Amino acid sequence: ATENKAVITLFGATGDLAKRKLYTALFKLYQKGYLADHFALLGTSRRPLTDEEFQQIVRESISNIPETENGQAEAFSKHFFYKSHDVTKPEHYEILKQRLAELDEQFGAEGNRLFYMSMAPQFFGTIALNLKKQGLLTDNGFNRLVIEKPFGRDFESAKKLNDELSQTFSENQIFRIDHYLGKEMVQNIQALRFGNTMIESLWNNRYIDNIQVTLSEKLGVEERAGYYDQSGALRDMVQNHIMQIVAQLAMEQPVAFTDADVRVEKIKALRSLRLYTPSEAAANFVRGQYDAGDGTNAYRHEDGVDPESGTETFVAAKLMFDNYRWSGVPFYVRTGKKLADKFTRIDVVFKKPLIDIFANPRSESDQSLNSNVLTIFVEPNSGFAIQLNAKRAGQGFTTEPVDLRFLQSDSDKKESPEPYERLFHDALEGNHTNFASWAEIAYAWKFVDVIRKLWDIEKPQFPNYTPGSMGPAASDELLARDGRKWVYRL
Ligand code: BG6
């Protein structure tokens, strides 16, 4: 492993994400040698803490990861420092600036700075502006910004945020996190498509009937009601994760597998996504909110949720791309909380043979063929399956669906880095492939804003689905209307 040298400044260092994901990701990079002697992290948040107290928090956060050398966690934590900080006070940046310069010197980070914003989004713009004004950026190394979602709550606010960030950082210095892009099997979409003649030559409206993307969660809103009730599934999952997955499924082959080339194609794909009129949006989008069931509360009775909340905890939709490859092929997507299970999968349903000789009245047998389906299992299993029709063994002639399946082994899975580990490393390397560009985010918001506006006007009939189901009946009807079904159903 080549060591990445940098001083990382983390805004929101005592937050939940930092403690659950970020320190463990950094520790794994340290164990693999991507981080070694020449890195330091300066944590900030409002809370006063000493360096020792902060290092203790870091050690606790990584305590579930076995050390690969004695004293490793302790040694790792010695790269962590802390300054309490009020992001709205310019003079506080002066203190950070000085501290960063000292750490750079002490650890030999060669002027490389990575700023990571993992805190309330209303401060993202203020922080970026102050980083520039108070001169926290260096001239001798890289300056990069990693930023967590939510990236705005509609196109307007996202644009405002982006304009603010752009005063300090150029597009190629900004790394917008979408952790779904860090998942092994989401990245595998490109390998599957562009590495296989068998797949890519059929990847169009001549052979594909429809594509289904399901991001299903078993848990409810848990402790995040404050955020979630203001957001809802459309903003929380569709605008970002689903749009990113769909863009990778729909895009054309990039000229080369570089971040710049992949971006160009994703942007083109999102541009050709059909922008719905309000009445089309009403016809092609379904929303839901979970009821009580299995001894658990209805969404409206969760802690911190408005008892009359109209926030959706489920979305299903039919998306259409207006381009030569996809014209006429629906992309059905759905996501929700309190559904039957926790999983993410993509089902690509192929057209049936134009002529089914087995069901032909002139044939001996009378049966119909199933559609071929390519399923990409993103989580909890990682792998894919292809469903084919084959002859059933034995006398006579009947066909039956058979399954060709590849699932990653447990040891492969253990080797695969978690999304945050991978994405942290990409940001340190300056590789944008698995981050969302501004143009992608902008198109995704413009698409989603139409739906949001409609839903903000019309009062929903909530609650409308039971925990443990796959969402409201209208989600099944969305496909039934087109003579189709969800491949995964209960
Ligand atoms: C986050 C959403 O982006 O993704 C959460 O804010 C959701 O509401 C989570 O639970 C799901 O991520 P994963 O990786 O567990 O599928």
Side-chain angles (χ1 to χ4, degrees):
T2 321
E3 181 193 359
N4 295 113
K5 301 179 180 179
V7 178
I8 300 165
T9 311
L10 178 60
F11 295 93
T14 55
D16 190 48
L17 184 82
K19 289 195 259 184
R20 276 189 309 114
K21 304 274 187 190
L22 302 184
Y23 301 139
T24 52
L26 290 171
F27 187 47
K28 292 212 170 133
L29 291 175
Y30 184 76
Q31 290 185 319
K32 292 176 184 166
Y34 292 116
L35 292 175
D37 297 338
H38 302 95
F39 94 96
L41 183 144
L42 182 61
T44 81
S45 74
R46 293 192 71 136
R47 240 164 84 191
L49 285 176
T50 64
D51 287 342
E52 289 68 32
E53 285 166 327
F54 181 49
Q55 291 169 2
Q56 182 58 32
I57 291 178
V58 171
R59 282 193 297 271
E60 278 162 24
S61 310
I62 61 171
S63 59
N64 56 340
I65 303 176
E67 294 188 340
T68 53
E69 276 165 34
N70 255 343
Q72 195 176 41
E74 173 77 21
F76 170 75
S77 72
K78 295 291 183 228
H79 291 259
F80 288 72
F81 303 87
Y82 188 85
K83 270 273 166 262
S84 93
H85 176 76
D86 178 340
V87 296
T88 61
K89 294 224 169 83
E91 62 275 20
H92 282 197
Y93 291 86
E94 195 53 46
I95 301 169
L96 287 189
K97 177 181 175 177
Q98 216 175 341
R99 197 70 190 104
L100 291 176
E102 287 162 12
L103 292 173
D104 198 324
E105 179 72 31
Q106 185 182 340
F107 288 88
E110 299 180 353
N112 293 328
R113 300 283 163 83
L114 190 110
F115 299 93
Y116 197 124
M117 293 184 194
S118 166
M119 58 182 310
Q122 68 264 34
F123 297 119
F124 292 167
T126 313
I127 297 172
L129 287 177
N130 276 297
L131 292 179
K132 176 166 191 180
K133 271 204 221 139
Q134 313 305 323
L136 275 76
L137 274 46
T138 59
D139 312 315
N140 57 330
F142 63 67
N143 292 287
R144 295 186 188 139
L145 172 70
V146 181
I147 182 163
E148 279 292 335
K149 59 170 265 205
F151 202 90
R153 25 186 305 112
D154 52 21
F155 173 72
E156 282 307 316
S157 55
K159 176 154 189 331
K160 178 165 175 283
L161 169 59
N162 202 59
D163 288 346
E164 285 169 353
L165 300 179
S166 304
Q167 292 187 36
T168 304
F169 297 96
S170 64
E171 177 66 20
N172 66 13
Q173 294 176 308
I174 304 177
F175 295 77
R176 300 177 193 81
I177 296 250
D178 184 311
H179 79 282
Y180 268 65
L181 294 180
K183 294 187 191 254
E184 188 70 52
M185 293 309 296
V186 172
Q187 298 192 357
N188 223 316
I189 293 172
Q190 314 230 7
L192 259 188
R193 287 191 55 193
F194 305 121
N196 297 291
T197 319
M198 258 184 75
I199 292 180
E200 190 57 17
S201 43
L202 305 181
W203 205 256
N204 58 52
N205 56 6
R206 259 177 299 162
Y207 303 108
I208 291 181
D209 181 81
N210 73 92
I211 295 186
Q212 307 182 4
V213 178
T214 305
L215 274 54
S216 164
E217 298 194 82
K218 203 175 168 66
L219 292 177
V221 64
E222 309 304 297
E223 275 95 49
R224 292 166 72 232
Y227 152 77
Y228 195 87
D229 205 36
Q230 298 300 313
S231 163
L234 186 66
R235 289 191 179 102
D236 188 49
M237 301 290 279
V238 178
Q239 187 275 339
N240 41 29
H241 309 321
I242 288 189
M243 287 292 161
Q244 285 292 330
I245 292 175
V246 161
Q248 299 203 32
L249 292 168
M251 73 191 221
E252 295 300 313
Q253 174 164 299
V255 172
F257 192 56
T258 66
D259 51 4
D261 290 313
V262 170
R263 269 186 173 190
V264 167
E265 299 305 334
K266 279 165 67 190
I267 294 168
K268 265 168 59 192
L270 290 169
R271 279 185 61 194
S272 55
L273 181 61
R274 185 181 304 168
L275 265 183
Y276 286 140
T277 62
S279 66
E280 287 169 335
N284 292 307
F285 270 77
V286 168
R287 55 180 159 166
Q289 188 190 75
Y290 62 82
D291 202 345
D294 297 338
T296 61
N297 282 334
Y299 175 73
R300 288 182 178 183
H301 299 133
E302 301 273 25
D303 275 348
V305 173
D306 172 358
E308 292 184 8
S309 174
T311 300
E312 76 287 352
T313 60
F314 177 94
V315 177
K318 172 179 170 179
L319 316 181
M320 299 299 289
F321 287 90
D322 289 321
N323 59 27
Y324 189 74
R325 184 189 285 263
W326 293 117
S327 180
V329 180
F331 283 60
Y332 299 107
V333 303
R334 60 181 166 170
T335 183
K337 299 218 181 266
K338 284 269 178 112
L339 298 181
D341 216 340
K342 168 78 187 164
F343 65 88
T344 302
R345 64 185 269 168
I346 300 161
D347 295 288
V348 181
V349 182
F350 289 85
K351 292 188 174 167
K352 292 189 182 177
L354 289 179
I355 295 166
D356 180 351
I357 61 164
F358 306 110
N360 188 316
R362 283 171 298 200
S363 302
E364 309 267 295
S365 67
D366 180 19
Q367 58 201 297
S368 56
L369 296 168
N370 283 53
S371 298
N372 297 139
V373 181
L374 164 69
T375 301
I376 303 175
F377 299 102
V378 178
E379 271 169 349
N381 291 322
S382 298
F384 12 91
I386 299 181
Q387 192 182 293
L388 300 172
N389 293 302
K391 178 184 172 299
R392 177 174 293 151
Q395 273 287 1
F397 200 102
T398 49
T399 57
E400 64 178 353
V402 296
D403 199 63
L404 302 184
R405 195 171 276 246
F406 165 77
L407 289 183
Q408 272 183 1
S409 64
D410 288 347
S411 67
D412 278 351
K413 270 186 129 172
K414 259 179 84 185
E415 293 291 299
S416 305
E418 290 262 312
Y420 276 99
E421 178 186 346
R422 205 187 289 264
L423 296 176
F424 233 126
H425 181 244
D426 286 351
L428 287 164
E429 290 279 320
N431 182 341
H432 277 99
T433 311
N434 299 305
F435 295 88
S437 65
W438 163 240
E440 292 160 56
I441 297 213
Y443 285 116
W445 273 127
K446 284 186 176 166
F447 177 79
V448 155
D449 280 353
V450 175
I451 325 301
R452 190 67 265 166
K453 274 196 194 115
L454 176 79
W455 284 354
D456 285 345
I457 301 168
E458 282 178 12
K459 216 172 138 61
Q461 300 269 315
F462 283 164
N464 62 354
Y465 72 95
T466 38
S469 69
M470 279 310 287
S475 161
D476 295 337
E477 285 153 18
L478 184 69
L479 278 72
R481 194 179 73 191
D482 298 341
R484 299 188 175 99
K485 284 180 181 155
W486 290 106
V487 173
Y488 177 92
R489 52 186 186 272
L490 294 176

